[in-house]
Amino acid sequence: QVQLVESGGGLVQAGGSLRLSCAVSGRTISSLNMGWFRQAPGKEREFVARITWSGGIITYAENVKGRFTVSKANLKNTMYLQMDGLKSNDTAVYYCAADSARTVGAGTQASIYNYWGQGTQVTVSS
């Protein structure tokens, strides 16, 4: 029912910036808790950021806090991840996720999200 499509990934030098987008269809984004996750080759998927349905609660992983900014545009039904000061270890496939149940809690566990995008590759060169 809900479809998520990420875009905006690419190759960037260390210290550079990228903005990822997650286009939502099938549901209004204002009815969903949303999150960003990433997975590097050979490693487990890890939490990056989340924004609740109202935009009232925003949470970041400690290792991206101060560098990444999550936001959303309800009228465009799109969530964004602005990434600044990129480092080599930010290299990963980045996934958009949606929680239609709007689970109460920290929103950092991948298991609570029931919809996922296909991912977009971010590669940071040194």
Side-chain angles (χ1 to χ4, degrees), residues 2 4 27 31-37 45 47-53 57 59 96-116:
V2 176
L4 309 174
R27 288 280 295 272
S31 71
L32 302 162
N33 283 352
M34 303 291 297
W36 287 101
F37 291 77
R45 188 167 299 187
F47 169 76
V48 176
R50 75 91 175 254
I51 183 167
T52 56
W53 64 274
I57 303 175
T59 306
C96 173
D99 168 25
S100 62
R102 294 159 58 174
T103 304
V104 175
T108 60
Q109 298 298 122
S111 60
I112 71 169
Y113 295 90
N114 54 330
Y115 297 101
W116 293 85

Side-chain angles (χ1 to χ4, degrees), residues 22-68:
C22 173
V24 179
S25 61
R27 288 280 295 272
T28 300
I29 197 169
S30 61
S31 71
L32 302 162
N33 283 352
M34 303 291 297
W36 287 101
F37 291 77
R38 67 187 184 186
Q39 188 166 22
K43 296 187 177 181
E44 295 183 353
R45 188 167 299 187
E46 67 173 348
F47 169 76
V48 176
R50 75 91 175 254
I51 183 167
T52 56
W53 64 274
S54 68
I57 303 175
I58 294 174
T59 306
Y60 297 101
E62 192 66 28
N63 58 0
V64 307
K65 191 176 298 182
R67 299 189 297 121
F68 291 9

